[in-house]
Structures are given as C-alpha cells and as structure tokens.
Amino acid sequence: MVAVPIVDLTKSRRGERDEIALAAIDGACRDHGFFLIVGHGLEEKARQVLASAQGFFALPRPEKHAIMRDRAGPMGYYDRELTKNKRDLKEVFDFTDDGLGTVDPTLKNRWPNGQEAFRHVLTDYLDSCAASSGMVLQLVIDALAYGGDERAGEARSVSEFFTGPQTSFLRLNHYPATDLLEEKEQAEVTPLGDMALHHHTDAGALTLLLQDGVGGLQCFAEGEWIDVEPVPDSLVINIGDLVQVWSNDTYRSALHRVRPITAGERFSAPYFFNPRFEAVIEPLPASSAPVYRPFLWEDFRKGRAEGDFADYGAEIQIADFRISAAR
C-alpha cells in the first residue's frame, strides 16, 4: 500500500544529517512527491494562520471583492479560479512579500482595510515559511544525492535562485460545500467541475501546505488516488515542476487534487516556494542527456497565473518544455 511518510525535522533543524529522513524523502519524491513534516517549529504560527483565514473568509462579500485580483495582477482575493480550464469550488486570498511589488507590479499586494492584525499574522508566517522551505528544498536535493543521483552535487546552482527577490507567495484557501457565486454570476463564468480543486501539479520548486483537520487532499500514486490524511501539527510538502526538471525526471512533480467537501468547510494555506524572476530553469548537469530545454521561470509563472485566472485555451505545462516536445 502506498504511504505518505512523516519526516521529523528535529535533527535537520539542528544542522545534523538525518539519513532516515533522507531515505524517506527520496522514496516519496520518486513515488508521488508528497511527504509530511513534523518538528518544524511553526506549530503556534500555523494555528494563528488558520484562525485568520476563517476570519477573513467570513467577511462580507463586498469587502472581499474590494481586493479582487485581475488578469494583470494575481495577488488578492478571487472566487472563480480555474485549474486546467475547470472552475474550482473554493475562494482564495494570495499575498507575497510586500517589497516584491517594487520588483514586478503584477505582484503588488491587495490587503483588506482595517485588518492590521490579519496582515501581521500572515506576513510573519510567510517569513517563517521562506526559511523552512529553503531548508526542506536542501533536504530534497540531499535526498537526490542519497538516492545516488550525481546531479545533487550541483545543489548550489539551485539554492542561488532563492536569494534576493524570489517570487514565492502564500495563499489562503476556503473550500465550502456549495457554490459561492450567485446564480447570475455562475452563468457568466466557467461552470464548476467535479472537484473542489482539480488535478494538477504545482509550477514552482515545492509547496509547504498547512491544512486543517477536515481532509480531502489526495495525491496520485501507482495508478490510484490516495488520501493525504491530516496529522496534528504537521505540514504537507509536495515537490513541484522545477524539482522535476532539475532532477531530469528522477523526481516527479506531485499530481494532486482536493475532493468536494460534502459537509461543512475546509481551510488550508499553501506556501509556494518559487525562485527569482530571471532564473533559467534546466536539468542540473549530469552525464545523462537532459530531457528538458532551458526556460525562463518568469514566463512559465505568468503563463500559469493567466491560466488560473480565466480560460484562455490550453494551460502551459512543464511537458511543453520537454526536448521531444520542441521538435
């Protein structure tokens, strides 16, 4: 039976090598790209974030719609997001490091008025996620070496992409049991699909996910969907498309989805760990032939963001950059 391992970060946070953790991460990244972490040190902050998410999504619609995202800027509130051209049954709030808006105006934050405590809790957690994600990404690269892949010797060429103004961001998710849109609005947008969040892989390096105890997250492994069960005080890690490229397909980006919430509601907060705009993504140097051609992260990121906003045709995928696809 396929299992999602639980990795204790206690040793890693002390700077000690943990071969049990490396073995678990290597196996998970080869099988399905998911593992849980405990001993991460973010437990209290995580509880505050979930409480903040519940409070934000309970605000009146006009207050949330006042900070609605648009095609030009992906930060802010949105209640009609698409995944693979299907509308998801959820509402979201996205934000990033406030300073990034000076680097790229598309990343300008939209904060709700009069919610200073909300803003403080979230920005503090975002900073903590950045540090934790950097450590976990290094563990993933170390696990690649543990599994015998010589590309891991070039880990420095990965970590340097995350210095300076990286493009990571944090999202709050609310999954209700019924459509949030009014009947007239539903007629003007893409119809709902059959999932709360449709199957996809994440575009960046990795995602650090805080989820409540409701459940519904699933990953695809060995031909079937398996539940990623909530574990108290844990965070979920799934690797994204960039790790798949860097490892030249040794590790595979995690395919996942969220089942419809049949009763009640679900809250989660994924942190998407993404590199600098100008990062050129390609397989790490190794003796085997690369299966991806180099591409600019900024182009890939913007293509995904547009596909999430509305249906503009086929959504960009990492497979589009395979060398065979370019011929």
Side-chain angles (χ1 to χ4, degrees):
M1 181 178 179
V2 178
V4 177
I6 300 175
V7 176
D8 190 336
L9 295 186
T10 302
K11 282 188 174 182
S12 299
R13 290 176 62 206
R14 294 198 300 254
E16 301 174 15
R17 181 176 175 84
D18 188 342
E19 297 209 354
I20 294 176
L22 294 179
I25 293 171
D26 180 57
C29 291
R30 291 173 187 270
D31 291 344
H32 45 64
F34 266 89
F35 56 96
L36 276 64
I37 57 172
V38 295
H40 46 73
L42 303 182
E43 294 83 0
E44 180 56 36
K45 292 182 179 182
R47 285 188 280 271
Q48 294 176 10
V49 167
L50 286 178
S52 296
Q54 293 170 4
F56 171 77
F57 289 118
L59 291 174
R61 291 190 80 204
E63 291 188 38
K64 293 184 289 187
H65 282 206
I67 54 171
M68 183 84 82
R69 67 157 292 191
D70 53 33
R71 184 176 182 180
M75 298 296 107
Y77 174 79
Y78 206 49
D79 58 5
R80 55 204 69 190
E81 189 169 68
L82 307 182
T83 303
K84 293 188 180 296
N85 309 107
K86 296 179 181 179
R87 183 159 64 90
D88 300 321
L89 183 51
K90 65 175 181 176
E91 56 181 338
V92 307
F93 174 72
D94 293 341
F95 71 97
T96 186
D97 184 324
D98 277 318
L100 281 179
T102 62
V103 178
D104 185 336
T106 69
L107 294 183
K108 183 178 180 180
N109 285 325
R110 296 173 171 92
W111 292 101
N113 289 329
Q115 299 285 330
E116 290 306 314
F118 170 80
R119 183 171 179 170
H120 173 75
V121 167
L122 294 191
T123 54
D124 181 55
Y125 183 68
L126 180 142
D127 290 341
S128 297
C129 285
S132 295
S133 296
M135 181 182 68
V136 173
L137 180 60
Q138 185 60 58
L139 287 174
V140 170
I141 298 298
D142 290 345
L144 192 62
Y146 179 88
D149 196 309
E150 62 191 80
R151 291 176 188 83
E154 299 294 331
R156 190 171 303 170
S157 63
V158 170
S159 61
E160 69 182 15
F161 293 149
F162 296 87
T163 59
Q166 59 187 252
T167 57
S168 305
F169 68 98
L170 185 68
R171 162 170 291 183
L172 303 182
N173 284 321
H174 172 220
Y175 297 93
T178 57
D179 200 341
L180 292 161
L181 303 187
E182 298 174 353
E183 188 172 339
K184 181 181 178 181
E185 293 174 314
Q186 294 176 28
E188 297 172 346
V189 299
T190 303
L192 284 172
D194 59 350
M195 288 286 138
L197 174 63
H198 294 86
H199 71 278
H200 68 287
T201 60
D202 291 342
L206 59 81
T207 302
L208 186 153
L209 173 72
L210 164 63
Q211 62 173 342
D212 64 14
V214 173
L217 175 64
Q218 294 183 317
C219 66
F220 193 73
E222 297 184 5
E224 63 178 341
W225 290 101
I226 62 172
D227 293 326
V228 183
E229 298 283 359
V231 173
D233 288 332
S234 72
L235 296 170
V236 182
I237 301 293
N238 67 266
I239 59 172
D241 292 339
L242 301 193
V243 168
Q244 178 170 315
V245 172
W246 287 328
S247 71
N248 210 39
D249 281 351
T250 298
Y251 289 169
R252 304 305 295 264
S253 186
L255 185 64
H256 56 287
R257 69 184 188 184
V258 176
R259 292 183 286 101
I261 308 304
T262 56
E265 53 191 348
R266 176 180 187 264
F267 296 91
S268 68
Y271 175 76
F272 300 98
F273 192 46
N274 298 333
R276 297 195 308 267
F277 285 105
E278 66 272 20
V280 176
I281 310 301
E282 60 186 322
L284 295 174
S287 57
S288 58
V291 297
Y292 294 94
R293 67 184 189 276
F295 61 90
L296 191 64
W297 162 247
E298 182 178 6
D299 295 338
F300 187 47
R301 182 193 67 84
K302 288 184 175 179
R304 276 294 185 87
E306 282 208 342
D308 291 344
F309 179 67
D311 187 351
Y312 299 119
E315 186 179 68
I316 191 170
Q317 301 295 325
I318 201 64
D320 297 334
F321 298 94
R322 286 185 179 275
I323 290 175
S324 58
R327 293 173 181 169

